[in-house]
Every structure is written in C-alpha cells, then in structure tokens.
Coordinates of all heavy atoms in Angstrom, one line a residue:
F245 N 80.6 92.0 123.0 CA 81.9 92.5 122.4 C 82.0 91.8 121.1 O 82.4 92.4 120.1 CB 83.0 92.1 123.4 CG 84.4 92.5 122.8 CD1 84.6 93.8 122.4 CD2 85.4 91.6 122.8 CE1 85.9 94.2 122.0 CE2 86.7 92.0 122.3 CZ 86.9 93.3 121.9
A246 N 81.8 90.5 121.0 CA 82.0 89.7 119.8 C 80.9 90.1 118.7 O 81.2 90.0 117.5 CB 81.9 88.2 120.1
A247 N 79.8 90.7 119.1 CA 78.8 91.1 118.2 C 79.3 92.0 117.1 O 79.0 92.0 115.9 CB 77.5 91.7 118.9
G248 N 80.2 93.0 117.6 CA 80.8 93.9 116.7 C 81.7 93.2 115.7 O 81.8 93.7 114.5
F249 N 82.3 92.1 116.1 CA 83.2 91.4 115.2 C 82.4 90.5 114.2 O 82.8 90.4 113.0 CB 84.1 90.4 116.0 CG 85.1 91.2 116.8 CD1 84.8 91.5 118.1 CD2 86.3 91.5 116.3 CE1 85.8 92.2 118.9 CE2 87.3 92.2 117.0 CZ 87.0 92.5 118.4
L250 N 81.3 90.0 114.6 CA 80.5 89.1 113.8 C 79.9 89.8 112.6 O 79.8 89.2 111.5 CB 79.3 88.5 114.6 CG 79.7 87.5 115.7 CD1 78.5 87.1 116.5 CD2 80.4 86.3 115.1
V251 N 79.6 91.1 112.7 CA 79.0 91.9 111.5 C 80.1 92.5 110.7 O 79.8 93.1 109.6 CB 78.0 92.9 112.0 CG1 76.9 92.3 112.8 CG2 78.7 94.0 112.8
R252 N 81.4 92.4 111.1 CA 82.4 93.1 110.3 C 82.5 92.6 108.8 O 82.6 93.4 107.9 CB 83.8 92.9 111.0 CG 84.0 93.9 112.1 CD 85.2 93.6 112.9 NE 86.4 93.6 112.1 CZ 87.6 93.4 112.7 NH1 87.8 93.2 114.0 NH2 88.7 93.3 111.9
P253 N 82.3 91.3 108.6 CA 82.3 90.9 107.2 C 81.2 91.5 106.3 O 81.4 91.7 105.1 CB 82.1 89.3 107.3 CG 82.7 89.0 108.6 CD 82.3 90.1 109.5
F254 N 80.0 91.7 107.0 CA 78.9 92.4 106.2 C 79.3 93.8 105.9 O 78.9 94.3 104.9 CB 77.6 92.2 107.0 CG 77.3 90.8 107.3 CD1 77.5 90.3 108.6 CD2 76.7 90.0 106.4 CE1 77.2 89.0 108.9 CE2 76.4 88.7 106.6 CZ 76.6 88.2 107.9
G255 N 80.0 94.5 106.9 CA 80.5 95.8 106.6 C 81.5 95.8 105.5 O 81.5 96.7 104.6
A256 N 82.3 94.8 105.4 CA 83.3 94.7 104.3 C 82.6 94.5 103.0 O 83.0 95.1 102.0 CB 84.1 93.4 104.6
L257 N 81.5 93.8 102.9 CA 80.7 93.6 101.7 C 80.1 95.0 101.3 O 80.2 95.4 100.1 CB 79.7 92.6 101.8 CG 80.2 91.1 101.9 CD1 79.0 90.2 102.2 CD2 80.9 90.7 100.7
V258 N 79.4 95.6 102.2 CA 78.7 96.8 101.9 C 79.6 98.0 101.5 O 79.5 98.6 100.4 CB 77.8 97.3 103.1 CG1 77.2 98.7 102.9 CG2 76.7 96.3 103.4
F259 N 80.6 98.2 102.4 CA 81.5 99.4 102.1 C 82.6 99.0 101.1 O 83.1 99.9 100.4 CB 82.1 99.9 103.4 CG 81.0 100.5 104.3 CD1 80.6 99.9 105.5 CD2 80.4 101.7 104.0 CE1 79.7 100.4 106.3 CE2 79.5 102.3 104.8 CZ 79.1 101.6 106.0
G260 N 82.9 97.7 101.0 CA 83.9 97.4 100.0 C 83.3 97.6 98.6 O 84.0 98.1 97.7
R261 N 82.1 97.2 98.4 CA 81.4 97.5 97.2 C 81.3 99.0 96.8 O 81.6 99.4 95.7 CB 80.0 96.9 97.2 CG 79.1 97.1 96.0 CD 77.8 96.4 96.1 NE 76.9 96.7 94.9 CZ 76.2 97.8 94.8 NH1 76.2 98.7 95.7 NH2 75.5 97.9 93.7
L262 N 80.9 99.8 97.8 CA 80.9 101.2 97.6 C 82.3 101.8 97.3 O 82.4 102.7 96.4 CB 80.4 101.9 98.9 CG 78.8 101.9 99.1 CD1 78.5 102.5 100.5 CD2 78.1 102.6 98.0
G263 N 83.3 101.3 98.0 CA 84.6 101.8 97.7 C 85.1 101.5 96.3 O 85.8 102.3 95.7
D264 N 84.7 100.4 95.7 CA 85.1 100.0 94.4 C 84.2 100.7 93.3 O 84.5 100.8 92.2 CB 85.1 98.5 94.2 CG 86.3 97.8 94.8 OD1 87.4 98.5 94.8 OD2 86.2 96.7 95.3
L265 N 83.0 101.1 93.8 CA 82.1 101.8 92.8 C 82.2 103.3 92.8 O 82.3 103.9 91.7 CB 80.6 101.4 93.2 CG 80.1 100.0 92.9 CD1 78.7 99.8 93.4 CD2 80.1 99.9 91.3
V266 N 82.2 103.9 94.0 CA 82.2 105.4 94.1 C 83.5 106.0 94.5 O 83.7 107.2 94.4 CB 81.1 105.9 94.9 CG1 79.7 105.4 94.5 CG2 81.3 105.5 96.4
G267 N 84.4 105.2 95.1 CA 85.7 105.7 95.5 C 86.1 105.5 97.0 O 85.2 105.2 97.8
R268 N 87.4 105.6 97.2 CA 87.9 105.3 98.6 C 87.5 106.4 99.6 O 87.1 106.1 100.7 CB 89.4 105.1 98.5 CG 90.1 103.9 97.8 CD 89.4 103.3 96.7 NE 90.3 102.4 95.9 CZ 89.9 101.4 95.2 NH1 88.6 101.2 95.1 NH2 90.7 100.6 94.6
K269 N 87.7 107.6 99.1 CA 87.6 108.8 100.0 C 86.2 108.9 100.6 O 86.0 109.1 101.8 CB 87.9 110.1 99.3 CG 87.7 111.3 100.1 CD 88.0 112.6 99.3 CE 87.7 113.8 100.1 NZ 88.0 115.1 99.4
Y270 N 85.1 108.8 99.8 CA 83.8 109.0 100.3 C 83.3 107.9 101.2 O 82.5 108.0 102.1 CB 82.8 109.3 99.1 CG 83.2 110.5 98.4 CD1 83.8 110.5 97.2 CD2 82.9 111.8 99.0 CE1 84.1 111.7 96.5 CE2 83.2 113.0 98.4 CZ 83.9 112.9 97.1 OH 84.2 114.1 96.5
T271 N 83.8 106.7 100.9 CA 83.5 105.5 101.8 C 84.2 105.7 103.1 O 83.6 105.4 104.2 CB 84.0 104.2 101.1 OG1 83.5 104.2 99.8 CG2 83.6 103.0 101.9
F272 N 85.4 106.3 103.2 CA 86.1 106.6 104.4 C 85.2 107.5 105.3 O 85.1 107.3 106.5 CB 87.3 107.5 104.1 CG 88.6 106.7 103.9 CD1 89.7 107.3 103.3 CD2 88.7 105.4 104.3 CE1 90.9 106.6 103.2 CE2 89.9 104.7 104.1 CZ 91.0 105.3 103.5
L273 N 84.6 108.5 104.7 CA 83.8 109.5 105.4 C 82.6 108.9 106.1 O 82.2 109.2 107.2 CB 83.4 110.7 104.5 CG 84.6 111.5 104.0 CD1 84.1 112.6 103.0 CD2 85.3 112.3 105.2
M274 N 82.0 108.0 105.3 CA 80.8 107.3 105.9 C 81.1 106.4 107.0 O 80.4 106.4 108.1 CB 80.1 106.5 104.8 CG 79.5 107.3 103.6 SD 78.8 106.2 102.3 CE 77.5 105.3 103.2
T275 N 82.2 105.6 106.9 CA 82.5 104.7 108.0 C 82.9 105.4 109.3 O 82.5 105.0 110.4 CB 83.7 103.8 107.6 OG1 84.9 104.5 107.3 CG2 83.3 102.9 106.4
I276 N 83.6 106.5 109.2 CA 84.1 107.2 110.4 C 82.9 107.9 111.1 O 82.9 108.0 112.3 CB 85.2 108.2 110.0 CG1 86.1 108.4 111.3 CG2 84.7 109.5 109.5 CD1 87.4 109.1 111.0

C-alpha cells in the first residue's frame, strides 16, 4: 500500500514539469 505513496513525489516531478511546460489540461488527461 505504501509503495504507491513512495513514488508520488516522482510523479509530482514528472507531471509537475509537464504541467508547467505544456499545460494543465493535457497533464490531467495523462494522469487519469
């Protein structure tokens, strides 16, 4: 269960960068 939590910061780095580069909407679609 905790494994999902441990990688969340890495998801924040990957998708946070994408969100600031290409936009909020398209990053939303990828994550969902």
Side-chain angles (χ1 to χ4, degrees):
F245 178 54
F249 292 92
L250 293 174
V251 300
R252 278 169 60 177
F254 301 102
L257 290 174
V258 172
F259 293 110
R261 178 178 178 274
L262 281 176
D264 282 328
L265 285 175
V266 303
R268 294 27 171 157
K269 175 181 174 179
Y270 295 105
T271 308
F272 269 167
L273 294 173
M274 291 177 63
T275 60
I276 206 166

